[in-house]
Amino acid sequence: MAPSSPLRKLFSSSVTAFAIAVSVSLPAIAQELPAPAAASPATKAAVPPKPTTRQIHEAEDAYIAGARLLDRGDLTGAEAQFAKAAALNPSNPDYLQATALARSHRVTELVQQAGKARLLGQREKAQSLLAEARKLDPENVIVTQHDDPAALSAAFHPEVQATIDPSSTPWIQQPPAIAGPITLLPTAGTQTFEIRGDTRETIRQVLLRYGIRAVFDDSIKRQNLRFDVDNVSYAKASEILFEMAHVIAAPLDPHSVLVADDTSENRQRFERQLEETIYVPGSTPEQMKELGAVVQSVFDVKQVTVQNNAGNLVLRAPEDTLSAINLTLADLIDGGAEVLLDINIYAVDRTRQRNIGAQLPQQIGFYNVESEARNLVQSNQSLVDQAIAGGLIPANASDIEIALALISSGAAQSSLLSNTIGFFGGGLTQTGITTNGSSTFNFAMNSSDTRALDSIQLRVGDRQTGNFRSGTRYPITTSTYTSGLAGSGAALAGVTINGVSASSLVNQATSVTIPQIQYEDLGLTLKATPTVQKSGLISMKLDLKIEALAGAVLNNIPVLANRQYVSEVTVSDGETALLASSLTRSESAAVSGYPGLGELPGFQTATADKITENDTSELVLLITPHLVRHRSSTVAGPRIAFNQRLSGN
């Protein structure tokens, strides 16, 4: 059975998913496989012998058995069978590839089991599984990515590395280290000098006393020196001597220095320069540019490279200058304090409406009853005749009796008679009294409360401003611009274009009006700038602005009404500052009643109807600062002495 059968396709499809995630070195696997046969010393470098027919069949059987084990999930057995097939028939590259893929299966499975054990809190089991995976493939990237950071940091500790066998832990690699500047190693102790001679000889004798060899540059000027000091160390003696001779010294090795004349050119040529990359977090490109300019001007650093994208400062300067720069920028590099502002905004709207009193009729009318009854009978004469013929109304009934009969039966209606509240008089002078409505008594109250809550958290740095807005952007047309054709078509009279009069085309030209719109932020705008004090208190500068439409219009431009509150409060960490503002307050009252009588005390409720309405709108802000990151507790920076350089050290 050939390996290129459908079983081979089944095997390749089952391992492809893991083969793309885990890489295994095929030459390393080939080295671990046993040799197919013992070769003589004379034939070790020759081509391996061709496998026999029996070996080819046994390799095919092992390959098929490995594929079956792989299908059942037995990765260890599958790897062993594939390795056996590769050992029996090394000329077939599919066997070696199958071994590598089976091993990648096993490594991936071990990494997954280790991750599951770590989630369950089984740290020792996870480390054991990762160690087994690392043993199978020590250069696998996935295995190294799942290593425990705590174990790696402990493994890199010098005391732990002293007890680790490097051959057993090839995955631990020492980070590269850059050698520091050359440090002189003069002889310890003090010396007494009483030397007279030229510059070179005096410097040579003094340095030789401390075991330092002097090499002179051609720029050294010959002059006589008298050097008399008692009981001084190398640092003090070299400082005094180099100052007297106006020279500088650059170390060549721990026991040799190069001495040259103290000039700016020689300092640039011989003074040792160190390169350092300083990372400044959270800085904008503009801030990085300003910081680089400050370093250049204050510390006199000639070579400064500002990497805006990475936030780095690359400096080249002497060691003591770099130390001074690091001490000065320590607070900026480490980062300042950060404050979390917890802001809660409450908007409360209240509406109160009361309607108490009596609504009495305010109009009274008089009419003649006989005349009104006659008019009603005359307008309904046909109904009256039918009622008399049917015996419903007596024939000798008066007009008033007939009108009352018609109204009571619903055959006729009279608005005047229906609003009658009484009669007085008799006969032809009988008079009726009417009103414009009925009396009502009111005792009602309507109340509504509307409350809105808005909560937000702002995290800002020390002395940085955090902005919070709640509202809308309102478009306001500030001006308009009109464009188009203007003119008269009289001059084009008689001129036609394609049979159409040119003057009519000009008259049809329309202008276009383009508005200039400016957007205003209506609503609430809060700016808070916290400052963390040395005592731990938090000082907040608050700028609260409320802007709304005033309701008036000036030249078709709406008038805006705004209120602004600016203050500074100091609270402790976690303490709340409260800001309250009354946005609007309106009161209205309406009285409906009889003049004079409705204004008398005691008669208002009985004779008049009073409607009162109160509308209020209030705003409450609660600001609570939380110190989430402390800055360095150093009150003042270290004192840096720039005038005490030891030129030879």
Side-chain angles (χ1 to χ4, degrees):
M1 181 177 181
S4 58
S5 62
L7 180 60
R8 177 180 176 182
K9 298 181 180 179
L10 174 63
F11 168 73
S12 60
S13 62
S14 63
V15 299
T16 303
F18 291 100
I20 61 174
V22 181
S23 61
V24 181
S25 176
L26 295 180
I29 297 177
Q31 293 177 3
E32 298 179 4
L33 297 177
S40 61
T43 60
K44 283 185 179 180
V47 179
K50 185 177 180 180
T52 61
T53 305
R54 180 180 178 182
Q55 290 178 339
I56 293 176
H57 288 298
E58 290 180 356
E60 292 177 357
D61 294 340
Y63 180 82
I64 295 174
R68 292 173 180 173
L69 293 174
L70 183 66
D71 187 54
R72 292 197 296 264
D74 187 0
L75 301 178
T76 305
E79 181 183 357
Q81 292 296 328
F82 292 146
K84 179 181 178 182
L88 292 173
N89 188 6
S91 60
N92 193 333
D94 294 337
Y95 298 156
L96 188 61
Q97 183 179 6
T99 307
L101 294 178
R103 180 167 296 187
S104 68
H105 262 293
R106 179 59 178 160
V107 171
T108 304
E109 184 183 36
L110 291 173
V111 171
Q112 292 176 350
Q113 293 177 359
K116 182 178 180 180
R118 183 175 297 173
L119 292 176
L120 297 176
Q122 302 173 357
R123 183 176 295 273
E124 295 181 357
K125 181 179 179 181
Q127 291 299 324
S128 177
L129 293 172
L130 287 176
E132 185 177 353
R134 195 180 300 112
K135 183 178 179 181
L136 290 175
D137 192 1
E139 298 180 357
N140 194 297
V141 178
I142 294 181
V143 178
T144 56
Q145 288 178 349
H146 286 78
D147 287 330
D148 192 355
L152 286 176
S153 60
F156 281 113
H157 196 275
E159 297 181 358
V160 178
Q161 287 185 356
T163 61
I164 297 178
D165 184 9
S167 61
S168 62
T169 56
W171 52 278
I172 299 181
Q173 298 180 357
Q174 291 288 347
I178 301 177
I182 299 175
T183 303
L184 287 178
L185 300 177
T187 304
T190 59
Q191 299 287 337
T192 300
F193 300 95
E194 187 176 349
I195 303 175
R196 293 175 177 82
D198 64 354
T199 303
R200 295 194 178 191
E201 187 62 26
T202 303
I203 295 175
R204 182 182 291 108
Q205 292 184 22
V206 173
L207 297 185
L208 192 59
R209 290 278 196 96
Y210 297 99
I212 302 299
R213 183 175 65 91
V215 178
F216 296 96
D217 184 65
D218 295 338
S219 61
I220 296 295
K221 301 177 182 178
R222 293 185 176 272
Q223 59 180 349
N224 294 327
L225 288 180
R226 178 179 177 182
F227 189 69
D228 295 338
V229 291
D230 297 331
N231 299 324
V232 292
S233 63
Y234 171 77
K236 193 64 176 178
S238 61
E239 179 184 359
I240 297 174
L241 179 61
F242 295 157
E243 187 70 22
M244 292 174 59
H246 301 288
V247 297
I248 59 173
L252 300 176
D253 57 56
H255 299 284
S256 301
V257 294
L258 174 64
V259 183
D261 192 17
D262 189 1
T263 61
S264 58
E265 294 80 3
N266 288 338
R267 286 186 176 274
Q268 293 181 3
R269 289 173 55 198
F270 302 120
E271 202 169 32
R272 296 290 181 178
Q273 300 282 326
L274 299 181
E275 181 176 315
E276 183 177 7
T277 301
I278 301 178
Y279 172 62
V280 184
S283 298
T284 62
E286 292 77 11
Q287 293 174 342
M288 292 292 299
K289 185 178 180 180
E290 293 178 359
L291 187 59
V294 169
V295 170
Q296 280 184 316
S297 59
V298 174
F299 296 96
D300 194 21
V301 178
K302 304 300 182 183
Q303 299 182 4
V304 178
T305 302
V306 180
Q307 298 177 350
N308 293 326
N309 296 332
N312 295 333
L313 287 177
V314 182
L315 311 176
R316 282 191 178 183
E319 182 179 7
D320 53 353
T321 303
L322 293 179
S323 300
I325 294 175
N326 279 273
L327 292 174
T328 305
L329 303 181
D331 184 66
L332 181 61
I333 295 174
D334 295 339
E338 290 186 357
V339 179
L340 177 66
L341 297 178
D342 193 355
I343 303 175
N344 294 322
I345 300 178
Y346 299 89
V348 181
D349 296 332
R350 297 187 180 92
T351 301
R352 298 287 187 274
Q353 184 178 16
R354 294 183 180 182
N355 187 2
I356 301 175
Q359 184 71 31
L360 300 178
Q362 298 180 358
Q363 294 180 1
I364 298 177
F366 300 94
Y367 67 94
N368 185 271
V369 177
E370 182 68 24
S371 176
E372 184 64 25
R374 187 183 304 109
N375 293 333
L376 181 62
V377 171
Q378 291 177 359
S379 60
N380 297 279
Q381 188 62 46
S382 60
L383 293 176
V384 173
D385 294 341
Q386 293 177 6
I388 293 175
L392 298 177
I393 298 176
N396 56 353
S398 63
D399 291 340
I400 296 177
E401 293 176 347
I402 296 174
L404 293 176
L406 291 175
I407 293 174
S408 61
S409 64
Q413 294 182 356
S414 174
S415 60
L416 188 62
L417 294 176
S418 61
N419 293 332
T420 301
I421 60 175
F423 301 93
F424 66 90
L428 296 176
T429 61
Q430 187 177 9
T431 304
I433 304 174
T434 63
T435 63
N436 62 337
S438 60
S439 300
T440 58
F441 295 92
N442 300 318
F443 191 76
M445 182 183 71
N446 294 326
S447 176
S448 64
D449 289 343
T450 303
R451 302 182 182 183
L453 171 64
D454 196 354
S455 180
I456 192 172
Q457 290 183 339
L458 295 177
R459 182 165 180 169
V460 296
D462 187 17
R463 299 183 298 275
Q464 295 182 357
T465 302
N467 297 328
F468 169 71
R469 288 207 63 262
S470 178
T472 58
R473 291 179 59 84
Y474 186 80
I476 297 177
T477 303
T478 58
S479 61
T480 57
Y481 172 73
T482 303
S483 64
L485 297 176
S488 176
L492 300 177
V495 180
T496 60
I497 300 176
N498 294 330
V500 180
S501 174
S503 59
S504 63
L505 295 177
V506 173
N507 294 331
Q508 292 177 1
T510 58
S511 61
V512 179
T513 301
I514 302 174
Q516 303 294 325
I517 298 177
Q518 178 180 345
Y519 288 88
E520 290 290 337
D521 294 330
L522 302 184
L524 181 144
T525 302
L526 175 64
K527 296 181 180 180
T529 306
T531 302
V532 181
Q533 301 179 357
K534 182 179 66 175
S535 60
L537 299 177
I538 301 175
S539 176
M540 294 185 297
K541 183 179 180 181
L542 303 177
D543 186 354
L544 175 63
K545 183 179 180 181
I546 302 173
E547 191 170 10
L549 295 175
V553 177
L554 181 62
N555 295 330
N556 294 327
I557 299 177
V559 179
L560 302 179
N562 61 72
R563 298 178 182 179
Q564 190 169 10
Y565 168 81
V566 179
S567 178
E568 187 170 349
V569 296
T570 302
V571 296
S572 302
D573 183 13
E575 188 177 357
T576 301
L578 181 135
L579 300 178
S581 173
S582 178
L583 299 181
T584 60
R585 181 181 295 272
S586 63
E587 297 181 1
S588 63
V591 180
S592 176
Y594 296 138
L597 187 61
E599 299 176 0
L600 294 177
F603 291 90
Q604 294 178 351
T605 304
T607 62
D609 186 26
K610 184 177 182 180
I611 301 175
T612 60
E613 183 175 355
N614 297 329
D615 296 332
T616 60
S617 178
E618 298 177 352
L619 181 68
V620 179
L621 279 83
L622 300 177
I623 304 178
T624 306
H626 300 280
L627 188 59
V628 295
R629 179 177 179 181
H630 296 265
R631 65 176 299 174
S632 176
S633 58
T634 305
V635 178
R639 297 180 179 178
I640 306 171
F642 292 99
N643 58 347
Q644 294 184 1
R645 177 185 298 181
L646 302 180
S647 302
N649 205 348

